[in-house]
Amino acid sequence: MTSTPFQASRGTRDIWGEEILLWQALEQRARDILGRANYQEIRTPIFEVTELFSRGIGEGTDIVNKEMYTFTDRGNRSLTLRPEGTAGVVRSLIEHKRLSQGVVRCWYLGPMFRYERPQAGRQRQFHQLGVELFGSADPRADVEVIALGLEFLQPLALPSLTLELNSVGDPEDRQRYQAALVEYLTPYVQDLDPDSQVRLTKNPLRILDSKHPTTQAILATAPQLPQYLSKDAHAHFEQVQAGLTALGWSYVLNPRLVRGLDYYTRTAFEITTTDLGAQAAVAGGGRYDRLVQQLGGPDTPAVGWAIGLERLVALWQKQGVSFTVAPDITVVAVGEATANLSLQISHMLRQHGLRVEMDVSQSSLSKQIKRADRLGSKACVILGETEVATKQIPVKWLATGVQELVPFPSGFADPQPWQYKCHHPPVA
Ligand code: HAM
């Protein structure tokens, strides 16, 4: 009986081969840049109780209404695969009472899950790198967080990136604005696209996000959110802009930028690109001063962002960024008598910090050497029955073709000549 081979589920993908090196480089970069700003990594569970997300992200949002992977476990609890990282981090810090100790800075990286319609740059399992700064209402915290995101993205020479900035104000400001927006839009209700018609009663601010041309035309003369900010929120926003300018970062003000999650207050931003088609947002974030309290914690202002790593990797690939790794040394061997010696030599060379592959293909020596060359190895250690007897081991430097005889074990004991020759292959 033949069976159809399994395939990765729709909206998920495997990451392997050369692409994994891009991911590892991104992870290293996150550790370096965020570590230097004294952020600590946090790893929270992949699933949480459903209510954390419905209360945290907002009952009226697309994520909660349409996109969550929710299931009932055997104990009859409703659980959800995390659609984003912020709510879980907040839950963790409240649970461990870490918010009474002043400012907390943390970052995370991991898979998130949203039941969206998959397309280029949009998956059902995707990865976010996120940072969150808790315990400060200082506009400098917003600037630090935004600048870290830009610093992380920028040297990858991504000229297509734009920082879009807005202030969505405090909830009271938003309420006043929402009333004005609804009043403005109501006479046009028949002309709005169907989604926006529904949103007019459910979540009017999200209408600002509509890509529909008629809706956009109607919005062109609509009241704008920044005009409804309180004095404090306005001053805060001015200081955020001044801080970004002081650091030399440019931005575009986008008064229609409202985020797809309900928890934001004041600063909201996205880092967008023109290089990825419809999925323009590489990163999104902002301030969320009420969320901690809303989830049962102490009154704690906070600000953060998340970068979609698949989108960033796609941008890198588009620019031709790639990495390769190759063994320094490949140990090739034929004949049963060479078995232990090949194990010993591979082990000794690895102890010297070299990347060593032991060929276990059992093919002919010439095939093994060809393969080592194809992998990009710098040298082959070549073992046959004679070498086991004489303890004089041929080492072939593949770039120059130079072959030398190295006595075993003395010639393998000292790391230095090996390390040197891997960088400066001997010439005849
Ligand atoms: P978000 O805007 O929903 O924000 O997601 C952040 C980023 O994740 C997006 O800009 C995008 O690059 C990526 N992303 C989202 N959905 C998908 C998908 N289906 N496939 C591929 N990439 C995707 C948040 O999640 C907030 N928690 C960010 C935040 C942290 N705000 C404050 N702190």
Side-chain angles (χ1 to χ4, degrees), residues 22-23 37 72 87 117 149 155 164 218 224 235 246-247 268 278 296 332 335 344 362-363 388 398 419:
L22 291 174
W23 286 80
T72 309
R117 204 149 51 78
E164 296 187 32
I218 295 170
Q224 298 204 327
L247 289 178
V332 304
Q344 288 167 323
Q362 299 185 316
S363 54
V388 177
L398 295 169
Q419 286 158 357

Side-chain angles (χ1 to χ4, degrees), residues 11 57 63 67 83-87 108 112-134 145 259-261 263-264 269-272 276 279-288 291 302-312:
I57 298 169
I63 297 181
E67 297 172 1
E84 58 107 49
T86 310
Y108 52 86
M112 309 291 160
F113 305 84
R114 294 183 193 176
Y115 191 82
E116 295 195 78
R117 204 149 51 78
Q119 51 176 264
R122 193 162 78 192
Q123 295 176 207
R124 291 181 174 169
Q125 174 174 330
F126 60 98
H127 295 75
Q128 284 185 345
L129 165 68
V131 307
E132 314 290 354
L133 188 160
F134 294 91
V145 160
R259 308 259 306 121
L261 305 94
Y263 48 63
Y264 292 104
F269 67 93
E270 284 186 353
I271 302 174
T272 55
L276 287 180
Q279 305 312 313
V282 181
R287 190 163 263 293
Y288 49 98
L291 181 64
V303 54
W305 50 248
I307 291 176
L309 293 180
E310 276 78 4
R311 294 185 189 174
L312 184 53

Side-chain angles (χ1 to χ4, degrees), residues 130-294:
V131 307
E132 314 290 354
L133 188 160
F134 294 91
S136 171
D138 189 329
R140 284 181 305 158
D142 310 43
V143 177
E144 173 179 298
V145 160
I146 297 172
L148 280 171
L150 292 166
E151 190 187 340
F152 182 81
L153 295 169
Q154 188 249 4
L156 315 174
L158 299 176
S160 68
L161 293 182
T162 305
L163 168 62
E164 296 187 32
L165 198 60
N166 193 20
S167 172
V168 296
D170 293 314
E172 304 74 32
D173 305 338
R174 258 200 321 275
Q175 250 165 24
R176 282 185 293 127
Y177 173 63
Q178 187 164 308
L181 185 66
V182 172
E183 193 183 313
Y184 169 83
L185 289 174
T186 305
Y188 298 103
V189 65
Q190 298 309 329
D191 305 320
L192 295 174
D193 61 279
D195 270 355
S196 297
Q197 288 177 348
V198 177
R199 284 175 170 161
L200 192 59
T201 47
K202 278 198 155 172
N203 199 349
L205 290 194
R206 295 290 298 164
I207 297 175
L208 298 177
D209 247 6
S210 169
K211 306 274 180 288
H212 196 274
T214 318
T215 306
Q216 286 213 344
I218 295 170
L219 286 170
T221 49
Q224 298 204 327
L225 217 171
Q227 297 155 354
Y228 289 77
L229 298 185
S230 68
K231 234 173 112 199
D232 277 1
H234 183 75
H236 183 100
F237 193 38
E238 296 269 298
Q239 287 175 59
V240 171
Q241 293 174 57
L244 287 167
T245 306
L247 289 178
W249 295 112
S250 53
Y251 53 85
V252 172
L253 291 179
N254 177 357
R256 283 208 215 151
L257 176 78
V258 283
R259 308 259 306 121
L261 305 94
D262 278 353
Y263 48 63
Y264 292 104
T265 54
R266 302 196 170 190
T267 314
F269 67 93
E270 284 186 353
I271 302 174
T272 55
T273 172
T274 45
D275 279 354
L276 287 180
Q279 305 312 313
V282 181
R287 190 163 263 293
Y288 49 98
D289 289 345
R290 309 285 171 103
L291 181 64
V292 176
Q293 200 168 38
Q294 200 180 310

